[in-house]
Every structure is written in C-alpha cells, then in structure tokens.
Amino acid sequence: MNITRSTLSAVAIACIAPSWGVLHGQVDPSGSWRTWRTDHFRVHARTELRESALRTAEEAEWAYQLLARELEPPRGVIELVLSDDVDFSNGFASTFPTNRVTVYLAPPGDPSVSLARYDDWLRLVITHELTHIFHLDRADGLWGMLQTVFGRAPGLFPNVYQPSWVHEGLATYYESRLTNAGRVRGAFHEQLLTAAATDDRWPAPGDAVFANPMWPGGFRPYAWGSRFFEMSEATGRDSVIPRFVDRTSRQLLPVNVSSAWRPLTGESVDDTWRRMRAAAAGAGLRDPDTVLVRGLRSEPMIRLSRDGSRLAYRWRDDRNTQRVVMIRVSDGTRIGVRRANEIHGLAWAADSLYVAQLDFSSPVQIRSDLYRWQPPNSWTRLTRGERVTDAFVTPDRRVGVLVLRRGVRVPMLVGPGSLMPYPAPAGNDWGRVAISPDGRWVAGARHANERWDIVLWSVGEPEDVRLITDDEALDGDPSWTSDGRLVFSSERTGLPQAYLYTLGADDVQQITDVRGGARDPVVAPDGTLFYGTLMADGHAIAATSRVQPVRRAVPSADSRSRPSPLRSPVPSPRE
C-alpha cells in the first residue's frame, strides 16, 4: 500500500495535536494514595477508600470478563482511579496516553432521574466507561500500522472520529445489557423519544451529538444512541454490534457509520433511525390537563408547602443557570426567585425553604451543603462541608437531611453544631424522605436489593418497615396529602406515572396516565395534583384538578426488566 507525502503530513499533525473532547474535573492528588492490582487493572484510591477500592476492582474485573465475550479486549493494563472529591455522579474514560478510567464514588439519587436506574452504582458506571475503552482502543488495518510507527497518538484512534451517539449509545447499551439495570431499562430515555416523536422534533443522526445545544442537549447521544443499538438486538442480530466495532476500527473513513452498518444489517443508519421513530409513538396516553411552567432544562423538583399555599421548584435555563422559584398556588404569582448553584434538594418548614446546593470547598473539591431561604432576601448557610444532598422536616420542626458518606446517603438530623443519626431501616442508599402530616409515619425511597422501592415505617421504629412497592421498577418521589395518603412515582408501566397509597386499605392506585410521564407528584389540600412531566421543549410542571384512579392495568413488575449474564468469580486484587 502506498502512502502519499500529504497523508504522512496529516498523520504527523494529528499525532502532535492535543486530544479533543470535554475537559473533565481533576482528581485531588493530595492525601495518602494506594494501588490495588488485578489481572487487567491498577485501581488507585486514597487509603480511606480501601473498601470501595476493593469492590471497584472486583466490579471492574467482572465487567471486563463480560465485555471480552462481546468485543476484542483493549491493549495493556487499564488505570482506574476512584475519587470521592465531588458530590455528584460521573465517570470518564480516556485512551491517551494510556487506557484510563476515573469514577466518582457518589451514586445518583432521586434528582438524577437519567441515572437513577442502577443495581449498583459502581457496577453501572464501570461497565459504561469500560465499554468506551473496549470501543475506542481498537485500531486495526492502516490505523494499527500507523500506531506501530507513531505510538498511541490522539489522532490515530479511528473510532474516536465517530459521532457521539455511537460512543455513548454503545456504552449505554452495554451498561444495560451487562447489569441488572441501566438507562435502556429506565423510563427517562423513553420519555425523551416519545416527546420528540409526538411533537415532530425527531433529530436526524447528525443532530444527536453533544455539539447540538438544542434540548435535550447532552442527553440526546445516550438516549438515541442506545435505542439505535438496542434495535439490532430486538431484531435478533446480537452479533451486529461486535462486527460493527470491528469494521469501523479499520475503516479509512470511520466517521462514515452507514458504510459499516449497512453490510451487517441490510439497512442504512437513516433506515434504522426511521424505525426508531415509528416505535416511539406514545399511543393511548393523554396530554396534561394544565401546563403551568414548561421549557425547563432539568427536573423541577416540585415541593408544596404544608398549608398548600406556596409551590417551590428548581428552574434551569439553556445557559445552565439555576434558580429556586417560589409561587403562590392560588394565582401563580411569584413570591420570590433566588439564584443558586446545582440544586440537590428542596424542603419546606413553615415559611422557610431549605435548599441543598453544591459549592466549591477547594479548587478540586465540590461539596453539597444546606441553606435556608426566607423570601425575599434572607439566605442563610446552615452547614459547611457536610455533603447534604436533600432535606426533610420532622413533626417537631427539626430539619432532617440526607448526608453522603463514602458513596451512601444516610438520613440525619441537623443539630446545634453537628449532625445526628436519624432512625431509619437498613438500606444501600436513600432518596427523598417525607413524614406524614400527623407525624406518625416516615416514607422514603430506599435503594436495597439492587433497586429503588418505597418503604414506610413508624417514626422512631425503623425495625417495623413496610414495603409499599416491591418490584423491579424505579419507584421514588414520596410525598403526603393533607389527609394522610401517600403519593409517589413509579415506572412499573414503562413511563413514570403517579400513584396513590392509602394506609389501612393497603391499596395502590395509578392516578396519572400522561404521555410525558409524571414525577415528583404533590397534592394540594384542595385536591389539585401537581407533577413534573416531559415535553418536546423540556421539563414542565403540570396540574390536574382531581385525583382519581385511571383505568389502566398495573403490572406487578417492570416489563423492560431482563436477567443479566452470569458473573464468574474473579481473583482478589493484590495490594
């Protein structure tokens, strides 16, 4: 094969050019670090994270074992860094200068509906990021020859040139196929696709990329990409994806996805894209009765004051600016607006609104703390560096919080100068917690047995726990009506909808059936139901004047659930 001088010049420029992509936050290098070695990984973490590092090493080897059955393994040992520096969930992968994965220990909670469908956070994020390594490390044909000459230069990884919906779609597909959860099995992506198809805002393949700033922005590569690859599995073509990765890793023009896809499936990318749209119909569901606010860029996190007169919610715009908005329910007029950082939780106590938000505690550390807002101007910081991710209020008007401790949220009380444990049942993690109007019962979204369920217990008696839901669906967002009934959201019918539980009767009824789904349901004393839904232009707050059961069958478990591959034992890591 002849290589022209111009080709060599282009390759040389690519080799010395800096790597492109998103600049990720840096891990704090201070403290005492240790390394644990396995057959395929070196796991790096601070000494105090030893237990999490050992579990990370085990999950990484499991994920490697499963992915190696599908895709050609990457070259060399993979560096895996575990960080507990930030109070949000994320991970990222890089192939230059070596194969590296960084994982943030904090798991997603109730506010992160796009990520909340996980069996084990470390398992999901490691599987996702490791898929990137398996995919992007491949360099065959001419690309492999060039890497032999120039080394692991950033411009010589062919699969990097593919659109972001391919990168993230593959990783999201495998995170769902190789674990007991994942975003393909969750409802958020289904909401996005249904809204886009219903309102004729379906993107072309070239628009489902990170560079597209229009809503849904950065969610689009994950949602449309994973659905694209899931379609091949749904048509019985499991081997398509491994062969697709093989072909693109040796294509001279790897950016041309269709040239690799058509020989394997008999259809172009556009053909598969059209089939995806036809499947996202949302038939048989209703539109919201009343839309109060729309075009929000994140979940509104709706919170109703105890007397039902005021409604607070999170408002995020296209520039990622966040504000807390407080309105009067009777006429919708604004009582106050307060700019805030990334908001993790809201809770009412009398005339005050408690807000959990992120703050930089150092140049490389981000912590979430609690503030009290009394409109129009009073804004008081209550904690510093305590890692508060949500709040609730006890019957005696004490403030309870969810506190992040080494990858687990635990309920605690805010005391004078310190935090104190709040009696709660055992759980791997906690989402929203709410106490009944009579002060007798606590309802919470608990992560246990690799899933989210709604549990109920008597105040001060956590050993007497009652399962309100017990299925594979994602259940969350508990709140109470003024007459002591429990409202929550569940994905048991596919899309999230609102449900009502009556104590004593031990009865669960579905009370919404809307096309955009319903999350964060709250019921005012006059019977008005407020909830968050998803529309083609973003998140919205909707309302219906009456709470009543809908005529629809409610399956006992999530219909998208399916068993993951068996995991073989892996050797223990070596220190």
Side-chain angles (χ1 to χ4, degrees):
M1 179 180 294
N2 294 324
I3 303 177
T4 65
R5 178 173 298 180
S6 60
T7 301
L8 286 174
S9 300
V11 169
I13 293 173
C15 289
I16 63 174
S19 181
W20 55 88
V22 178
L23 293 176
H24 298 284
Q26 300 301 305
V27 174
D28 185 358
S30 64
S32 175
W33 285 76
R34 299 188 68 174
T35 298
W36 292 263
R37 293 172 175 82
T38 69
D39 291 345
H40 303 103
F41 297 89
R42 283 192 289 263
V43 179
H44 311 282
R46 291 192 184 89
T47 304
E48 63 268 23
L49 297 179
R50 182 180 187 276
E51 183 178 341
S52 297
L54 292 174
R55 192 159 62 87
T56 296
E58 186 178 63
E59 292 292 350
E61 282 293 341
W62 273 343
Y64 191 102
Q65 177 189 101
L66 295 176
L67 280 167
R69 300 176 187 175
E70 299 276 327
L71 306 174
E72 183 173 319
R75 296 160 288 177
V77 174
I78 301 168
E79 311 293 341
L80 201 163
V81 179
L82 184 65
S83 171
D84 197 24
D85 296 327
V86 297
D87 291 353
F88 56 81
S89 309
N90 206 347
F92 52 90
S94 172
T95 57
F96 176 80
T98 60
N99 286 326
R100 302 180 179 188
V101 171
T102 298
V103 171
Y104 295 146
L105 186 57
D110 273 357
S112 304
V113 296
S114 64
L115 285 171
R117 187 64 188 272
Y118 62 89
D119 51 0
D120 181 283
W121 166 240
L122 287 176
R123 182 178 305 158
L124 183 139
V125 68
I126 289 170
T127 303
H128 182 99
E129 300 304 336
L130 192 57
T131 301
H132 286 317
I133 298 297
F134 271 70
H135 176 217
L136 299 179
D137 182 70
R138 293 291 302 277
D140 295 332
L142 176 61
W143 299 98
M145 294 170 55
L146 292 173
Q147 281 202 13
T148 301
V149 176
F150 295 101
R152 296 177 63 90
L156 299 183
F157 291 87
N159 288 338
V160 169
Y161 292 97
Q162 295 165 357
S164 49
W165 66 261
V166 174
H167 302 157
E168 299 303 342
L170 276 172
T172 305
Y173 167 79
Y174 276 118
E175 89 184 23
S176 306
R177 177 172 175 172
L178 303 181
T179 75
N180 289 315
R183 280 167 280 190
V184 169
R185 305 191 199 191
F188 180 65
H189 287 179
E190 189 73 26
Q191 289 177 269
L192 290 174
L193 270 67
T194 298
T198 302
D199 282 20
D200 198 24
R201 296 196 182 189
W202 194 263
D207 293 327
V209 294
F210 286 127
N212 186 349
M214 303 298 292
W215 170 260
F219 293 118
R220 196 179 282 112
Y222 299 89
W224 271 260
S226 60
R227 179 58 59 86
F228 180 90
F229 291 109
E230 188 191 22
M231 294 287 285
S232 68
E233 180 193 29
T235 54
R237 297 169 175 172
D238 256 359
S239 62
V240 164
I241 296 174
R243 288 187 289 152
F244 170 75
V245 174
D246 289 342
R247 293 180 69 92
T248 58
S249 66
R250 58 177 179 267
Q251 273 190 167
L252 292 180
L253 294 175
V255 70
N256 189 345
V257 179
S258 260
S259 64
W261 188 252
R262 187 189 291 274
L264 301 175
T265 64
E267 62 182 14
S268 67
V269 167
D270 288 337
D271 293 335
T272 307
W273 216 258
R274 281 189 287 270
R275 289 200 295 118
M276 288 166 52
R277 177 170 184 168
L285 300 174
R286 301 186 302 107
D287 290 324
D289 292 343
T290 304
V291 177
L292 305 178
V293 181
R294 62 185 301 171
L296 306 177
R297 294 300 178 251
S298 61
E299 304 83 17
M301 206 177 296
I302 304 166
R303 301 293 185 265
L304 188 68
S305 63
R306 179 60 62 89
D307 63 6
S309 64
R310 289 153 296 166
L311 191 75
Y313 62 92
R314 175 175 62 175
W315 181 84
R316 187 201 297 264
D317 63 16
D318 286 320
R319 294 181 294 180
N320 209 30
T321 300
Q322 290 197 46
R323 292 178 174 85
V324 185
V325 179
M326 191 181 297
I327 64 173
R328 187 177 292 110
V329 172
S330 60
D331 55 12
T333 58
R334 286 190 176 184
I335 301 171
V337 179
R338 172 78 193 195
R339 184 164 178 171
N341 298 333
E342 178 71 31
I343 300 167
H344 274 188
L346 300 173
W348 282 98
D351 293 330
S352 300
L353 185 70
Y354 288 86
V355 181
Q357 70 164 8
L358 292 178
D359 292 289
F360 273 98
S361 58
S362 79
V364 290
Q365 201 171 62
I366 301 175
R367 295 292 183 240
S368 183
D369 276 301
L370 189 67
Y371 293 75
R372 182 176 62 237
W373 182 34
Q374 294 171 303
N377 299 316
S378 176
W379 180 262
T380 306
R381 184 169 188 165
L382 302 178
T383 65
R384 190 170 294 276
E386 293 290 0
R387 314 190 72 175
V388 174
T389 63
D390 205 350
F392 59 96
V393 178
T394 66
D396 57 359
R397 296 189 179 182
R398 301 181 70 183
V399 179
V401 291
L402 297 181
V403 179
L404 189 61
R405 293 288 185 264
R406 295 186 183 179
V408 178
R409 292 176 183 84
V410 293
M412 304 191 80
L413 287 175
V414 178
S418 65
L419 298 179
M420 300 169 290
Y422 183 79
N428 296 329
D429 200 10
W430 286 92
R432 187 176 176 186
V433 172
I435 300 179
S436 63
D438 60 10
R440 296 177 53 198
W441 300 95
V442 186
R446 180 181 70 169
H447 193 270
N449 301 317
E450 300 190 343
R451 64 196 192 195
W452 286 99
D453 279 307
I454 303 297
V455 296
L456 187 71
W457 71 96
S458 300
V459 171
E461 299 178 10
E463 64 282 353
D464 184 24
V465 62
R466 182 186 308 178
L467 287 173
I468 305 303
T469 66
D470 186 15
D471 54 39
E472 299 294 333
L474 174 63
D475 305 309
D477 308 320
S479 66
W480 294 89
T481 65
S482 58
D483 59 359
R485 292 179 295 171
L486 183 64
V487 187
F488 63 93
S489 67
S490 175
E491 295 181 359
R492 63 182 63 191
T493 60
L495 292 176
Q497 301 293 348
Y499 292 80
L500 185 69
Y501 172 79
T502 303
L503 280 73
D506 201 27
D507 180 41
V508 175
Q509 296 177 321
Q510 184 176 343
I511 57 175
T512 65
D513 200 12
V514 291
R515 184 177 289 108
R519 299 188 191 271
D520 265 336
V522 294
V523 178
D526 66 358
T528 302
L529 170 67
F530 299 93
Y531 59 90
T533 190
L534 200 63
M535 308 183 79
D537 60 349
H539 293 271
I541 299 177
T544 184
S545 58
R546 290 193 302 166
V547 175
Q548 57 184 357
V550 297
R551 295 182 179 179
R552 185 173 181 182
V554 182
S556 60
D558 180 12
S559 59
R560 297 176 69 85
S561 180
R562 54 187 174 182
S564 63
L566 295 176
R567 294 168 173 262
S568 304
V570 297
S572 300
R574 306 176 298 277
E575 295 191 34

